[in-house]
Amino acid sequence: MAKIAVLGYGTVGSGVVEVIETNYASIAKRAGEEVEVKSVLDLRDFPGDPIQEKIVHDVDIIINDPEIDVVVEVMGGIEPAFTFVKKALEAGKSVCTSNKALVAAHGPELLAMAKARNLNFMFEASVGGGIPIIRPLNQSLTADEITQITGILNGTTNYILTKMSKEGSSYEDVLKEAQELGYAERNPEADVEGYDACRKIAILTSLAFGSTVNFEEVCTEGITKISTEDFKYAEKLGCVVKLLGTSKKIGDKVYAITAPFLIDATHPLYNVNDVLNGIYINGNVIGDVMFFGAGAGKLPTASAVVADVVDCVKHKGTNVMTVWTSEKMQLGDINDVERYFFVRVKGSVDKNLAEVEKAFGDIDVVEVEGIDGEFGFVTAPMTEKAFNEAAANVDMINRIRLDKTSLS
Ligand code: HSE
């Protein structure tokens, strides 16, 4: 019998307990022995709930319990999670976490600690919720040189963008719904400002290329500037707006960005809606690979955490190698990346087209019936740097990048 402890009885923590109870027999078969939750750390008490008999308020009760083999950290945030995870590894316990903030900030250090002790530090649930993506990158796509990772990596914002675009719902209402459904981070700023997706693309890029991407160096924009008008222009262009996290290898440099993009129906992520996440990967020998599924929520995320627990139990005494060193990856300068931009400017085509063409050169004008006092256009491919220089000469309302990824 393998005994585990869960740090944090929130949405994911209670999901982990539920998954282990629901699939007790099949999990035992796959792990090679029964898996049982012995202790749950939480500041709160849960009177009347059967979980109460497992609740402890002091992490050291878990750390000093020789019966506990695996610790599940689902508290979120860096501290005290980082301290507790280090203590668990030092005490000879493997750790599974869904905490992308922790993994993005301290992944290689915790992996090295686990390796030095023949333990495991696993984090499948930190990216893509229930979608297997960490294990495929670490164990399956190992024959390939990865050339591109592009993903819808945040369920909350995908839910918001889908509902706003398809149902015309208000931003505030949909965000509230996403919070009630347990998709959103404790502080929803992490979702809507793109910080969550940024950490996730930093983790995937680090794993794909083996060294550490500092998430603070990934150019990051959220969805808060996307308006009802933007959705109307998007529709006119045959596009949808998606928050993408993407990293591409161009020459010997990797360029990473998290931002809203317009994508059309030929894009592999066009139909990834609601809370679903989708991740497109291109490798130099395999070509295109797609991962798709539930990107957030109690049980999907818990499913990925418990799969890591099963792996830890199966590999007791053996470290499953993960290639991610603390050596820093020097990302390419995003200003050098060439792409198309959709732009909205004040004025009218009659009066202002000449000045816009003077600034941007060849453009394709987009007008939407009922939107007055402005017009839109799509640029020819241009670098971010050239775009910013041109944009300084016009009265810009908003701009959204276009992503032209298509299956090869
Ligand atoms: N808040 C995150 C999301 C949870 O919406 O994707 C899963 O990481």
Side-chain angles (χ1 to χ4, degrees):
M1 161 95 60
K3 300 210 174 178
I4 73 164
V6 179
L7 310 186
Y9 195 63
T11 305
V12 182
S14 58
V16 167
V17 173
E18 188 178 330
V19 167
I20 288 176
E21 278 170 12
T22 306
N23 291 340
Y24 193 84
S26 55
I27 288 169
K29 223 183 268 173
R30 289 180 176 131
E33 58 187 302
E34 289 174 3
V35 176
E36 193 180 280
V37 177
K38 182 173 182 194
S39 306
V40 176
L41 178 79
D42 205 285
L43 289 173
R44 300 162 296 176
D45 282 310
F46 299 84
D49 185 322
I51 200 67
Q52 183 60 37
E53 66 189 49
K54 298 185 176 176
I55 293 285
V56 299
H57 300 302
D58 177 0
V59 74
D60 287 332
I61 295 174
I62 290 167
I63 301 298
N64 296 324
D65 185 340
E67 272 194 347
I68 291 174
D69 293 320
V70 181
V71 169
V72 166
E73 185 281 304
V74 284
M75 307 165 69
I78 303 284
E79 282 298 351
F82 183 41
T83 303
F84 292 176
V85 167
K86 280 194 296 186
K87 275 185 163 198
L89 291 169
E90 279 160 1
K93 302 174 196 311
S94 286
V95 174
C96 309
T97 184
S98 61
N99 186 340
K100 53 257 155 184
L102 177 70
V103 177
H106 297 292
E109 181 183 343
L110 296 169
L111 281 166
M113 279 184 75
K115 188 174 181 192
R117 294 165 175 81
N118 284 328
L119 299 167
N120 286 291
F121 174 66
M122 294 194 171
F123 45 92
E124 181 60 72
S126 65
V127 181
I131 306 172
I133 182 63
I134 302 294
R135 203 165 274 105
L137 267 178
N138 193 33
Q139 290 177 29
S140 310
L141 296 171
T142 47
D144 271 74
E145 300 273 345
I146 304 296
T147 55
Q148 179 178 347
I149 304 175
T150 295
I152 293 174
L153 299 170
N154 182 269
T156 301
T157 47
N158 205 35
Y159 188 79
I160 294 173
L161 290 171
T162 306
K163 293 266 174 191
M164 284 177 78
S165 131
K166 292 207 160 139
E167 295 169 20
S169 324
S170 86
Y171 171 81
E172 288 76 18
D173 286 352
V174 198
L175 174 59
K176 202 161 158 268
E177 245 180 77
Q179 285 173 304
E180 282 163 9
L181 288 164
Y183 302 153
E185 295 299 301
R186 263 187 303 192
N187 175 4
E189 203 187 16
D191 296 299
V192 297
E193 296 298 351
Y195 309 147
D196 177 80
C198 159
R199 280 162 178 77
K200 289 169 176 169
I201 195 65
I203 293 170
L204 295 183
T205 309
S206 300
L207 279 174
F209 298 100
S211 49
T212 296
V213 172
N214 179 353
F215 62 87
E216 285 167 347
E217 291 172 11
V218 176
C219 170
T220 300
E221 287 175 22
I223 62 160
T224 50
K225 291 192 186 120
I226 305 294
S227 66
T228 319
E229 286 77 17
D230 292 320
F231 288 113
K232 291 188 179 150
Y233 281 104
E235 197 180 347
K236 186 83 193 274
L237 286 163
C239 289
V240 288
V241 185
K242 295 289 182 193
L243 181 70
L244 300 182
T246 174
S247 59
K248 287 185 194 173
K249 191 161 188 200
I250 306 172
D252 59 356
K253 290 248 168 72
V254 176
Y255 298 85
I257 183 169
T258 299
F261 280 84
L262 285 167
I263 62 175
D264 70 17
T266 64
H267 195 287
L269 302 174
Y270 180 82
N271 286 313
V272 179
N273 289 321
D274 300 313
V275 72
L276 295 169
N277 281 193
I279 302 153
Y280 161 88
I281 295 185
N282 185 271
N284 69 337
V285 286
I286 197 169
D288 300 323
V289 194
M290 284 281 293
F291 299 85
F292 172 73
K298 177 174 166 171
L299 293 180
T301 310
S303 157
V305 175
V306 176
D308 278 351
V309 171
V310 169
D311 219 7
C312 285
V313 172
K314 267 163 62 176
H315 290 98
K316 209 187 275 182
T318 312
N319 176 257
V320 179
M321 195 169 101
T322 301
V323 182
W324 177 0
T325 70
S326 54
E327 188 195 335
K328 188 171 176 287
M329 187 192 303
Q330 192 63 51
L331 288 172
D333 184 348
I334 209 73
N335 281 310
D336 298 337
V337 176
E338 204 171 75
R339 58 176 113 246
Y340 295 83
F341 294 83
F342 162 71
V343 191
R344 283 169 57 206
V345 285
K346 286 189 185 150
S348 66
V349 174
D350 287 349
K351 285 196 194 137
N352 304 87
L353 185 60
E355 89 187 41
V356 166
E357 284 182 332
K358 188 163 173 246
F360 284 94
D362 260 359
I363 55 165
D364 287 326
V365 171
V366 200
E367 287 181 284
V368 173
E369 210 177 308
I371 301 185
D372 301 320
E374 63 167 89
F375 64 99
F377 61 91
V378 176
T379 68
M382 59 199 303
T383 62
E384 295 261 349
K385 182 166 182 276
F387 174 83
N388 290 332
E389 283 165 7
N393 298 310
V394 297
D395 201 352
M396 189 168 78
I397 299 168
N398 199 8
R399 62 98 178 84
I400 309 177
R401 299 169 176 89
L402 271 74
D403 187 76
K404 297 271 191 184
T405 299
S406 59
L407 295 175
S408 44

